[in-house]
Amino acid sequence: MKASFTPSQISSPDLTDLVKDHPQHVREDLQTLSNLRYEKIPQAIAERIRGACLEKKELQSLMEWKLYVPNPFLGKPSASVSLFETRAKSGTYRASLKKLIASNDPTDVEDITALAFGTFAEETALPDLGRAPAILRQLKGVGAATASLVLACYDSANVPFFSDELFRWLHWEEGVGEEGGAGKKGKGKEVGGWDRKIKYNDKEYASLFKKTWVLRERLERESGRLFKAVEIEKAAFVLRRRDEMGLLGGSEEEGSEEEADNTNGGDEEEERAASQSRSSEKPERPAKRRKLVLPTNNELD
């Protein structure tokens, strides 16, 4: 990828162009879910008379969208993408993640998301997200990435979704791990660029959040326009699609199988964490309304 498209150098006109191009990279069969994620669900949350919250069916729709996020682009896919799509649809961990989300009680979903949104609105001093993500993780199947997605639907202007593309692009210039060069193999076969391994934990999301904030502030100083976090997310998505198509120059050699596995990592890691933390819980609806718990500051460390 050309240096002019890296986070430290990308211009406001180039980012605007990427955002405008986003609809062209959404597959036709995913347009309904994409519309729910970017338009209908955020609007429903904002207009809910009883207060901002998320309904269970909306949480399930967001998970459906999230599981398709790595590859929704229009046009004939490459061989490596076809391989990925086949695995993505047959992976057992994906079915388990959907089951975890489906096992949540509808009342719990509404109460917990309402508490998280209220806490976010009252306590958050951006770019610190405070206790809201930890509150959301009380729901089965919700890890760091899904919690960020829910909050992004509540405040798309300031909260970025923890997507593979956004994390890898924002850390592009840092190379492999803490050192090495982007897109080059290092010790232990680690790679940077679009193949960077992601752990999907709170520390990585905090890094993504801060880098998104820094990029937005730089572009505002230079152009006078304050981009929304959701626009940065969309731009990163389009950048990867264009890079895969060889439209950015200096693109990396694609890695087919290994790339497909790394792209899938988020849902697998998140499901494992969510499953282990709630292994003793029963999916049946409780007899009484669940008591909501605000995490302490120590629980956020």
Side-chain angles (χ1 to χ4, degrees), residues 21-34 38 64-75 77 81 84-85 88-89 94 161 163 165 233-234 237-238 240-241 244-245 263:
D21 197 34
H22 182 266
Q24 303 304 316
H25 294 269
V26 177
R27 286 174 30 156
E28 292 179 358
D29 59 338
L30 298 179
Q31 289 179 359
T32 298
L33 284 173
S34 183
Y38 290 112
E64 289 284 347
W65 173 87
K66 179 176 176 288
L67 296 182
Y68 276 101
V69 165
N71 262 327
F73 71 93
L74 200 59
V81 172
F84 167 75
E85 287 182 331
K89 293 178 180 178
R94 289 180 177 273
F161 165 51
S163 73
E165 291 86 357
E233 172 201 328
K234 289 180 177 180
F237 180 82
V238 175
R240 179 167 188 178
R241 300 288 84 79
E244 288 175 339
M245 298 164 69
T263 306

Side-chain angles (χ1 to χ4, degrees), residues 212-222 225-226:
T212 301
W213 194 267
V214 169
L215 175 58
R216 294 173 66 211
E217 288 186 328
R218 176 179 70 79
L219 292 172
E220 183 183 23
R221 288 194 306 269
E222 295 174 358
R225 176 183 173 183
L226 181 59

Side-chain angles (χ1 to χ4, degrees), residues 1 22 88 90 97 99 111 123 177 189 196 229 236 246 250 254 272:
M1 178 164 49
H22 182 266
S90 62
L97 190 56
K99 289 179 180 178
D111 289 351
E123 299 183 1
K189 296 184 179 180
R196 177 188 296 277
E254 294 188 7
R272 183 181 298 113

Side-chain angles (χ1 to χ4, degrees), residues 260-276:
D261 291 338
N262 286 340
T263 306
N264 268 323
D267 297 316
E268 185 174 16
E269 292 291 338
E270 187 170 25
E271 182 203 345
R272 183 181 298 113
S275 299
Q276 290 176 348

